[in-house]
Amino acid sequence: MIQSLARRKRAKVFISYCALVPFLVFFLFPLYWMLITSFKTDTEITSLKGVPLIIQGKPTLAHYKKIFFETAYVTWFKNSFLIAGLVTIITMAISILAAYAISRLRFFGSRHFGVGVFCTYLVPPTLLFIPFYKVVGALGLLNSKWSLLFLYPTLTVPFCTWILIGFFSSIPKALDEAAFVDGASYIQMLWKVFLPVAAPGLIAATLFAFTVSWAQFLYPLAYIYRENEMVLTNGIYTTLIRGDVYFWGELMAGALLASIPVVVLFAFLMDYYIAGLTRGTLR
Amino acid sequence: MAKVILENVSKNFGRVQAVKNFSLEVDDQEFLVLLGPSGCGKSTTLRMIAGLEEVTEGKIYIGDILVNDLPPRDRDIAMVFQDYALYPHMTVYQNMAFGLKLRKRPKEEIDRRVREAAEILGIQELLTRKPRELSGGQRQRVAVGRAIVRQPSVFLFDEPLSNLDAKLRVQMRAELSKLHNQLRTTIIYVTHDQVEAMTMGTKIVIMKDGEIQQVGSPMEVYNYPVNVFVAGFIGSPAMNFIPATLVQLEDGVWLDAGNFQLLLPPSKAERLQDLKERRVLCGIRPEHIQDKAFASKRPKGSTIEGIVEVVEPLGSEVFLSVRSGGHTLTARVDPQTRAKPNEKIELVLDTDRIHLFEQETQRRINTE
Amino acid sequence: MRSIASVVNRKSSPSFLKILRSRRYAAYWMVLPLFILIVGLVVYPFCYSLYLSMLNKSETKWVGLKNFGRLLGYGTFWLVVGNSFRFTLIAVFFKATLGLALALILNNLPLAGQRLWRGVSMIPWVMPLALSSLGWWWVFEPTHSAINWVLVQLGGTPKPWLSDPFWARVSTIVTNIWFGTPFFMIMYLAGLKSIPESLYEAAQIDGAGAVQRFRYVTLPMLSRLIAITVMFSTIVTFANFDIVRILTRGGPRYTTHLFGTYAFNIGIEAGHLPRGAAVALFMFPVLGLAAFFILRNIARGEE
């Protein structure tokens, strides 16, 4: 009886692994396809002979060399880092203060304000990019990467504030009372108790702010046409396609390299990311 | 080292009045226990003393200072919370030092005071650990330690033992009493557990619905409960209450409970002259009811008969539920009892220890 | 704001009020940046967008609702409407079911394996969509790419993935499913973990088989979570831009456009900002409705 239970359990695991395989193939195939393409020579990419699913000829780094030395790729990378980094800092500063005030220092209208934050977090970029075009233009920031510096926070701040409200609210009330009795001011309470205790939430929010900024495509595509001001997403897309000529090798190399920072961040901070995502959505 | 005085203190939450016109003087070095069922306003009272709740009306003094408008940090108090509220990201040492650090005390002084407190509580080896690595009892000690380090003039405890298991609770009770003797500081302690109140308190305040029912030493509230609520709340198992009528016959004053009658001792009867034919509640504690067969000495008091319903042996004693007429009585009898469910039993009620309450007002009728 | 605070607290003693008020002031200062951001960069642009959508192309003349009316008269616009709904409904349906299947599979794995494969399964969601869409674009490339080669090897015929309306729609939807399934999976997995094991044991003792346990324990326990996740995904899917923009640019012949890409096409590329704003505003009722349902569900959960 016991043996058969154990055997059944093992069978269940085995079947589950089998069922997982199609999903993994579906999820990973495009990435694999991008990866091998980026190492194939141009002739092999366009050749119709043989099996395209493997690298048949000699792998080459030509595409990587080309994006690094013949395009503005390095500049885009720098721009992406600069913008995503600054946006993250701005986002965290705004979100931490707001989330702390909303979740703890109850003030007139704080509940409604929380709902308002949630609603703005549901506003997708496609809804407002047209009026933003005028706003960006009025500020003289068309064709400038700095325009992104105040557009991205409209996407990151509401979400980060929302998940931080969640994390802050889960800190037991007695903890601030203890700090209060211990003689902490509101700022000391935030700095010395809330931030360290809600560290997982802060990590998650930081990660979100960075990845969302890194991945944004519509805003840079709509407002930035000068190559040196571009970020990775629109840079790769707009400059590696010349009319009908697609530089597949360069495109794949550029897209993969550009994905690495966020995927690596995710790999190291997966648990925080998932906790933040599920709590931000479900609370 | 300070007195705490509350003068006509009230607290409203919206329309709900949580604490009503509460006046109390807590003497210096007193171990005062606020006791009552949940929702009676005892925690709110404590939190008003701490400065965590605003006082709606009335005045609170700590020492000689009116503290109504002072934030907690200026009240010279320390508090131990129900779930300890230890800062999870700090070590035990940092937890204990936090309050002093915020007050910008010199490092050496902080260090000395933390180590002293740790020694008092026997937690020296835990100083570098984080709260999550501690057991419940150890966390409890750290929470107390955090309060001690501050050397406040008043300690506030908000149900600090309710999250501990039974065995640890007994141990911590003794330790807190010891600590009180050692520190000689005013302690105000909130609990719903009457055993904690009885064992540790030098004075007990029993509260219900935001109002003080009785203030007194543990033995006072046990021996002379002022009303039915206090009588029923203090003591475990709870006091038995039997509705009865006072009847004057030639041989003395009798309590007529319907199917049995009890003759009151002359000392009590004297005081009841003007209460003839009054409806009363007769209260008697389980420990004052004995199994007649095993009543150690010559049984004193009146005997009644009943049917045993439940027998609960606890080893050192046995609780019996006995049905007699329309009443069910709990008796706390000698473990040798041979009582069995559904069998007859004779019980002796110690009429000297009977408490009488007016049925209408629920107040004690003074018979002493 | 000051007057409101003091009215509320007039009854309390004066200097406790001061502390409270200082706390309130602190709170107002702390939310001020967020407030400015929301009003200045969300509320104002939205109102401005309403105004803008009522101007003529050169933004010199007030034309009322003419832009909206014109759009409603275009066959192309109705293609966009139809395709947006089709795209959203089909993609969300597949994401929701595949996500559930994947979550159940992962939940069966031993913990170490679960952690690893959960992480791997999240990659499509974590990767910037614009960049992975480039990869899919290459996957769907008709002559040199892998997918048609595999089809031929399996005895099928190559498909004109991005140049035929039907297959182009399939391509964009498949890409969206690829991107969004992990999101559903991670939500469901969190939900599955929160179902107490004892419920399954009780059901087992009551004689429920695996299917019945799923039907009578898992599904009901997840229902609120499924509803919220579906609504979230509906918003994100409906407002998608990256996939269609990169794979098809709305083509062939406007058959794969979504509101977002069509608004971009008209407003930015064709330079008719007011009409582009009108296109984007057509999304608002659907987004508002979904947001309303999410809020209601969340409020219900808090009760």
Side-chain angles (χ1 to χ4, degrees), chain A residues 30-40 55 64 252 256:
Chain A
L31 304 179
Y32 169 75
W33 183 235
M34 291 168 85
L35 189 70
I36 59 166
T37 305
S38 73
F39 290 114
K40 283 180 182 176
I55 306 175
Y64 289 92
M252 296 306 117
L256 275 179

Side-chain angles (χ1 to χ4, degrees), chain B residues 87-98:
Chain B
Y87 308 116
H89 58 291
M90 298 183 192
T91 62
V92 168
Y93 185 98
Q94 289 165 330
N95 259 289
M96 291 169 70
F98 189 59

Side-chain angles (χ1 to χ4, degrees), chain B residues 143-364:
Chain B
V144 174
R146 185 168 67 177
I148 294 179
V149 165
R150 299 258 313 279
Q151 301 178 348
S153 48
V154 182
F155 281 104
L156 307 174
F157 288 84
D158 190 3
E159 309 222 13
L161 304 187
S162 55
N163 286 346
L164 298 179
D165 62 45
K167 207 172 153 194
L168 258 177
R169 210 178 301 167
V170 174
Q171 190 189 337
M172 281 308 291
R173 253 170 19 210
E175 281 191 36
L176 285 180
S177 288
K178 212 172 79 193
L179 195 68
H180 178 234
N181 289 332
Q182 212 171 337
L183 298 174
R184 297 256 137 244
T185 313
T186 315
I187 291 181
I188 302 179
Y189 186 105
V190 163
T191 182
H192 61 268
D193 179 354
Q194 46 110 4
V195 179
E196 282 174 27
M198 299 291 285
T199 49
M200 293 188 291
T202 56
K203 199 196 253 180
I204 298 179
V205 176
I206 296 154
M207 293 181 68
K208 183 197 169 199
D209 299 334
E211 283 174 304
I212 295 182
Q213 303 291 310
Q214 185 170 4
V215 182
S217 73
M219 286 327 278
E220 268 166 16
V221 295
Y222 175 81
N223 287 327
Y224 309 105
V226 296
N227 59 26
V228 174
F229 174 79
V230 174
F233 197 79
I234 300 284
S236 172
M239 187 186 277
N240 298 293
F241 293 105
I242 306 157
T245 314
L246 283 172
V247 185
Q248 169 94 57
L249 298 176
E250 284 120 56
D251 51 351
V253 180
W254 287 77
L255 272 171
D256 181 3
N259 64 317
F260 60 82
Q261 286 75 34
L262 302 171
L263 177 62
L264 290 178
S267 59
K268 281 192 192 290
E270 269 170 41
R271 301 251 184 164
L272 298 169
Q273 292 306 324
D274 49 341
L275 288 167
K276 270 167 267 169
E277 299 299 318
R278 279 289 279 279
R279 302 283 304 155
V280 297
L281 269 180
C282 158
I284 182 153
R285 295 193 184 279
E287 49 268 46
H288 301 138
I289 304 179
Q290 308 244 327
D291 182 346
K292 192 170 186 188
F294 289 92
S296 45
K297 301 158 226 154
R298 169 173 282 275
K300 200 172 63 170
S302 307
T303 305
I304 64 165
E305 270 189 9
I307 309 280
V308 177
E309 284 190 325
V310 182
V311 179
E312 293 181 297
L314 294 185
S316 62
E317 60 203 1
V318 174
F319 294 162
L320 299 178
S321 272
V322 177
R323 183 147 199 91
S324 174
H327 316 291
T328 305
L329 299 178
T330 307
R332 187 173 183 170
V333 302
D334 192 284
Q336 297 177 56
T337 184
R338 292 201 201 100
K340 288 201 184 71
N342 299 323
E343 285 183 5
K344 261 194 186 165
I345 190 169
E346 281 190 314
L347 296 174
V348 184
L349 275 60
D350 183 350
T351 41
D352 266 345
R353 312 297 295 265
I354 272 179
H355 305 263
L356 294 178
F357 303 92
E358 283 182 47
Q359 212 164 53
E360 255 165 58
T361 60
Q362 307 255 307
R363 285 221 195 90
R364 176 183 191 80

Side-chain angles (χ1 to χ4, degrees), chain B residues 37-218:
Chain B
S38 58
C40 71
K42 56 191 191 301
S43 276
T44 309
T45 308
L46 189 80
R47 291 164 60 84
M48 283 193 286
I49 299 171
L52 295 171
E53 298 287 353
E54 188 184 349
V55 177
T56 311
E57 255 171 83
K59 289 174 180 155
I60 297 179
Y61 297 89
I62 296 176
D64 296 317
I65 305 159
L66 178 69
V67 296
N68 279 36
D69 301 330
L70 291 181
R73 63 169 163 272
D74 300 332
R75 292 189 180 200
D76 200 12
I77 48 132
M79 187 157 168
V80 177
F81 292 83
Q82 181 171 2
D83 40 15
Y84 321 137
L86 298 178
Y87 308 116
H89 58 291
M90 298 183 192
T91 62
V92 168
Y93 185 98
Q94 289 165 330
N95 259 289
M96 291 169 70
F98 189 59
L100 297 176
K101 229 174 97 187
L102 289 176
R103 284 174 174 72
K104 304 227 160 57
R105 289 294 162 78
K107 263 218 172 92
E108 305 76 47
E109 188 198 337
I110 295 178
D111 190 64
R112 182 173 50 76
R113 278 162 71 168
V114 169
R115 286 183 198 287
E116 271 172 21
E119 199 179 337
I120 293 175
L121 293 162
I123 51 172
Q124 299 101 308
E125 317 82 63
L126 306 180
L127 286 175
T128 53
R129 299 226 201 134
K130 291 266 178 75
R132 64 164 175 279
E133 302 162 44
L134 304 179
S135 69
Q138 291 170 327
R139 282 179 207 185
Q140 176 63 64
R141 255 168 252 235
V142 175
V144 174
R146 185 168 67 177
I148 294 179
V149 165
R150 299 258 313 279
Q151 301 178 348
S153 48
V154 182
F155 281 104
L156 307 174
F157 288 84
D158 190 3
E159 309 222 13
L161 304 187
S162 55
N163 286 346
L164 298 179
D165 62 45
K167 207 172 153 194
L168 258 177
R169 210 178 301 167
V170 174
Q171 190 189 337
M172 281 308 291
R173 253 170 19 210
E175 281 191 36
L176 285 180
S177 288
K178 212 172 79 193
L179 195 68
H180 178 234
N181 289 332
Q182 212 171 337
L183 298 174
R184 297 256 137 244
T185 313
T186 315
I187 291 181
I188 302 179
Y189 186 105
V190 163
T191 182
H192 61 268
D193 179 354
Q194 46 110 4
V195 179
E196 282 174 27
M198 299 291 285
T199 49
M200 293 188 291
T202 56
K203 199 196 253 180
I204 298 179
V205 176
I206 296 154
M207 293 181 68
K208 183 197 169 199
D209 299 334
E211 283 174 304
I212 295 182
Q213 303 291 310
Q214 185 170 4
V215 182
S217 73

Side-chain angles (χ1 to χ4, degrees), chain C residues 281-303:
Chain C
L281 282 173
F282 269 109
M283 281 196 288
F284 186 72
V286 172
L287 300 178
L289 208 63
F292 170 76
F293 278 114
I294 293 175
L295 277 175
R296 212 183 58 168
N297 253 308
I298 285 177
R300 198 181 292 160
E302 275 169 3
E303 270 164 22

Side-chain angles (χ1 to χ4, degrees), chain C residues 220-232:
Chain C
M221 292 296 284
L222 288 184
S223 61
R224 195 176 80 88
L225 183 145
I226 293 176
I228 293 179
T229 314
V230 163
M231 286 300 144
F232 260 99

